[in-house]
Amino acid sequence: PRTIAGQNSSGLTPVGQRQAELVAARLAGIRFAAVYLSDLTRTKQTADPVIKKLPKGTPAFTDSRLREKSAGRCEGHKVGYVEQLARMSGQSNRYYRPPGGESWDDVANRSRSFMRDMLEKYCSGSHSAKRPSSATARGPPLAPDSVPVGDDPTKLLMITHGGFMSEFLTSAVGGVTNSARNCS
């Protein structure tokens, strides 16, 4: 049975290593302003072959905000265990924090904090569109009309985790829940 990985230090499986090589081949030669990746081992292992195929000098940064949702002491348990605990506690799965872990709302706040920083760093200045009204980590999802646009869009590559990416995409579209089952 599948188990909750969360923020544990597990590495990629052989299938994951093959998938990383396929992504690297697909992204080979594409110019990105920067690569951002989670600081977890399996993400670094995914990033290694990808970064080697990008143009020389592409900067890469780790950022702990890109980590997968922490399931705390529930990591290693069977997938679905946290949801079962949430039901037993009478709390919504969205706001339930497993012992030593974080809620999905916490992950959404991390994703919005990262998004705001990237918008400020890469999309302000030479672009004439509006900047986000708030630079705080907490707050409502970003409204679509607050996302800067321009004639020369900056490409950033994020190498992260499915749970984080789902929350990031939900925030990017103004709070419309992302229903993708696998955002990898």
Side-chain angles (χ1 to χ4, degrees), residues 27-96:
L27 297 176
I30 296 177
R31 292 201 176 280
F32 292 97
V35 177
Y36 286 86
L37 58 137
S38 138
D39 59 349
L40 297 179
T41 301
R42 61 190 182 270
T43 312
K44 290 177 182 179
Q45 291 173 338
T46 300
D48 285 343
V50 172
I51 291 169
K52 288 176 185 171
K53 299 274 186 175
L54 297 180
K56 295 263 187 261
T58 303
F61 306 96
T62 57
D63 191 315
S64 62
R65 291 176 295 181
L66 275 66
R67 285 178 164 215
E68 183 59 281
K69 177 184 183 284
S70 171
R73 292 192 292 274
C74 296
E75 291 177 7
H77 283 81
K78 196 169 118 180
V79 169
Y81 182 66
V82 173
E83 291 80 3
Q84 180 184 7
L85 291 176
R87 280 191 303 278
M88 289 178 0
S89 75
Q91 293 182 19
S92 158
N93 185 46
R94 175 109 196 122
Y95 299 102
Y96 177 75

Side-chain angles (χ1 to χ4, degrees), residues 119-129 131 148:
L119 289 169
E120 185 172 311
K121 182 172 184 173
Y122 294 100
C123 298
S124 62
S126 65
H127 292 79
S128 59
R131 291 175 62 189

Side-chain angles (χ1 to χ4, degrees), residues 100-138:
E102 61 186 338
S103 70
W104 283 112
D105 197 49
D106 295 330
V107 179
N109 287 327
R110 279 197 282 118
S111 78
R112 287 192 290 271
S113 170
F114 178 79
M115 186 182 303
R116 285 184 178 94
D117 285 354
M118 295 302 101
L119 289 169
E120 185 172 311
K121 182 172 184 173
Y122 294 100
C123 298
S124 62
S126 65
H127 292 79
S128 59
K130 289 193 241 176
R131 291 175 62 189
S133 59
S134 171
T136 62
R138 296 196 175 271

